[in-house]
Amino acid sequence: MLDLPTTTPAAGGIFARLDAEWAELCADTSVRAAVTDWLMTDRLADDVAAVTDSWVRMLGPEQLLAALRPGRSVLSDALTDAVLRSLLSRATGHDRSATLAARIIVQAMLPAAVRMTRGQVRGTGGRTWDDVGHMVIAALFEVARSGRIHTRPGRPAANLALDALSRVCRDLAADCEPGGEDLAAAEQIADHRPGPAERAHAAAIRAAAHAAGLTPQAAVDEEEVSSARLKLLELVLDAMEQGSISTADGQAIAWHYTDTAVPDAQAARRAGTTAAAWRRRRSRAVDRLKARLRPAA
């Protein structure tokens, strides 16, 4: 029977406590057996053993974490995506095994969590490192359990981090809303530049679009935060996630409706089709996107 340890919080903040808990997980025989069974069932054990120089029957959380934080290579990147998607699929359950899968995902994402925490502490102010860290970890855990990421196209780790960051930004922005007269007065100040939450949300959309192949770069300019282009990318990503349009459909829209549109002939060559077929794909995709936005009768 899988028995997750209950850890007494140690000093040093949320990330130190997670590392201390992780050491207990790695030493737990029921956890090690569960990890080995998962990898064997999903036919990932041989590859994980190979990249971690381990024996298949001795695979545990340490080897799983090593596979989720690989060196730079196409092979290891592909394995990382496969292992992470397997864990994300398992994390959608309702038993202790799902909780363990989500916990391992959070441990693998700790470097990204530290970066997100640092950025939000600097950007918002008034929050302690540990306060924001708790919000980031909670967001990562909730997104991992949501079932949204393992079916979405693109790199699952990037999608997971971006969804968590968006959730943290929304929560931080919501905390700032009840300002009464002070908030109303602040709105009269002639400074319409986007705040940290808006910039982070825009960066999240652009990075998700880049991961899905909708844009050539993940960076976002501050001026683009409220642009129609950004809103279009968000609509396309949502439609792709819900299955209303395919990745190729999303690319047909995103590559065309931009200041630096990809010529149809060039886009068609990338997709292995003709320019006429590419235009027809874009037309059908736009129709499906419009139909999705129409209110139900």
Side-chain angles (χ1 to χ4, degrees), residues 208-293:
H210 174 62
L214 303 183
T215 61
Q217 58 189 20
V220 58
D221 295 329
E222 187 168 300
E223 292 77 10
E224 194 174 9
V225 169
S226 59
S227 70
R229 167 68 172 168
L230 191 66
K231 293 175 183 177
L232 173 64
L233 289 175
E234 188 169 17
L235 289 173
V236 170
L237 286 167
D238 286 344
M240 289 168 58
E241 182 179 330
Q242 296 300 321
S244 302
I245 62 175
S246 67
T247 299
D249 292 337
Q251 290 170 342
I253 296 173
W255 292 358
H256 181 73
Y257 294 105
T258 176
D259 293 337
T260 55
V262 178
D264 287 339
Q266 180 180 340
R269 284 196 299 272
R270 290 187 193 177
T273 185
T274 65
W278 188 252
R279 285 191 292 271
R280 288 194 297 271
R281 174 184 286 276
R282 180 171 63 248
S283 178
R284 290 192 297 267
V286 169
D287 287 343
R288 285 194 289 270
L289 190 61
K290 288 180 179 177
R292 185 174 181 272
L293 297 175

Side-chain angles (χ1 to χ4, degrees), residues 86-272:
S86 172
L87 285 172
L88 286 165
S89 180
R90 292 183 181 279
T92 61
H94 301 287
D95 55 10
R96 296 174 70 84
S97 179
T99 303
L100 174 61
R103 176 63 184 85
I104 294 173
I105 292 167
V106 168
Q107 191 70 26
M109 298 296 294
L110 280 191
V114 170
R115 291 193 295 272
M116 281 189 271
T117 301
R118 183 180 297 116
Q120 294 309 304
V121 169
R122 288 175 179 172
T124 57
R127 291 271 189 170
T128 68
W129 171 271
D130 220 36
D131 284 342
V132 178
H134 273 93
M135 295 178 69
V136 170
I137 295 303
L140 280 171
F141 190 85
E142 290 169 6
V143 172
R145 295 294 303 273
S146 70
R148 290 161 51 90
I149 302 301
H150 70 276
T151 58
R152 185 185 299 174
R155 299 297 301 274
N159 290 336
L160 177 62
L162 292 167
D163 269 22
L165 178 59
S166 295
R167 184 172 298 209
V168 170
C169 290
R170 287 195 300 269
D171 290 345
L172 287 171
D175 285 348
C176 296
E177 285 178 2
E181 294 180 0
D182 291 340
L183 180 59
E187 290 175 348
Q188 305 304 316
I189 299 175
D191 184 358
H192 303 292
R193 291 175 300 176
E198 290 84 355
R199 289 197 299 272
H201 181 63
I205 293 171
R206 288 285 293 182
H210 174 62
L214 303 183
T215 61
Q217 58 189 20
V220 58
D221 295 329
E222 187 168 300
E223 292 77 10
E224 194 174 9
V225 169
S226 59
S227 70
R229 167 68 172 168
L230 191 66
K231 293 175 183 177
L232 173 64
L233 289 175
E234 188 169 17
L235 289 173
V236 170
L237 286 167
D238 286 344
M240 289 168 58
E241 182 179 330
Q242 296 300 321
S244 302
I245 62 175
S246 67
T247 299
D249 292 337
Q251 290 170 342
I253 296 173
W255 292 358
H256 181 73
Y257 294 105
T258 176
D259 293 337
T260 55
V262 178
D264 287 339
Q266 180 180 340
R269 284 196 299 272
R270 290 187 193 177

